[in-house]
Amino acid sequence: QQPVQSPQAVILREGEDAVINCSSSKALYSVHWYRQKHGEAPVFLMILLKGGEQKGHDKISASFNEKKQQSSLYLTASQLSYSGTYFCGTVTGNQFYFGTGTSLTVIP
Amino acid sequence: DSGVTQTPKHLITATGQRVTLRCSPRSGDLSVYWYQQSLDQGLQFLIQYYNGEERAKGNILERFSAQQFPDLHSELNLSSLELGDSALYFCASSPSSGGGYGYTFGSGTRLTVV
């Protein structure tokens, strides 16, 4: 029931774009995205509700396709501060599950 | 400061001992969640409380227990500690019991069992 994220890890140069995918085997009510820097607490980025909406947060945006039970996080013109591990979180019924995580490293 | 307060920040204890981790949720939030994160691992859901009542249970060991008090702060009790219990323990809070809002995490308690 834990959502699967891909890729597991990605290395980018500053200014490059990245896409992180999150797939669930269960029907989804909503999808959350979080970023966690090493040794720190996860920080909430955004939530997407049913309806196929797309949301943005500075140069980070996301989409949610409830029919495919998938969500994607788009990072454009990446900055060094984007480095960290990204987790999706999915709500199925009344249970919340964090995804497997994607380690993103941005290098100069 | 996220508004979620966890104490203590660090804890070192011996195997077989018992410890209590404390969490004060963000003002106005009724739900408290506990997560365990082992070294470079994902976030394992332990338990959720909503307004004093247990709402959901995850992979919480029988040696672990939790409660939420009338003032909404929560405590996670870990007993008969083993080396494998060494981890970061996060508390998170949200306004509701479901997934309609994001979770706000505290800075965590790093537990080291020696």
Side-chain angles (χ1 to χ4, degrees), chain A residues 46 54-63 72-76:
Chain A
M46 65 188 78
Q54 187 155 354
K55 296 189 74 171
H57 177 77
D58 195 10
K59 290 182 179 153
I60 301 175
S61 62
S63 62
S72 295
L73 186 72
Y74 307 93
L75 300 100
T76 57

Side-chain angles (χ1 to χ4, degrees), chain A residues 29-46:
Chain A
Y29 171 76
S30 65
V31 179
H32 300 204
W33 285 97
Y34 294 82
R35 176 171 61 213
Q36 183 180 29
K37 293 188 181 286
H38 186 69
E40 298 180 9
V43 173
F44 173 70
L45 295 176
M46 65 188 78

Side-chain angles (χ1 to χ4, degrees), chain A residues 98, chain B residues 4-8 20-25 31-37 43-49 56-60 64-69 72-78 88-93 103 105-106 108-109:
Chain A
F98 274 104
Chain B
V4 178
T5 304
Q6 285 189 251
T7 56
T20 297
L21 312 184
R22 183 187 166 103
C23 169
S24 293
S31 270
V32 169
Y33 309 80
W34 285 98
Y35 286 88
Q36 180 191 55
Q37 187 173 41
L43 292 147
Q44 297 299 316
F45 170 62
L46 297 178
I47 197 163
Q48 177 201 356
Y49 282 84
K57 226 170 185 177
N59 300 323
I60 188 166
F64 296 0
S65 65
Q67 55 183 325
Q68 187 180 29
F69 295 86
L72 301 178
H73 91 271
S74 177
E75 292 181 356
L76 178 67
N77 301 296
L78 315 176
L88 256 175
Y89 289 84
F90 287 108
C91 162
S93 73
Y103 297 171
F105 280 81
T109 293

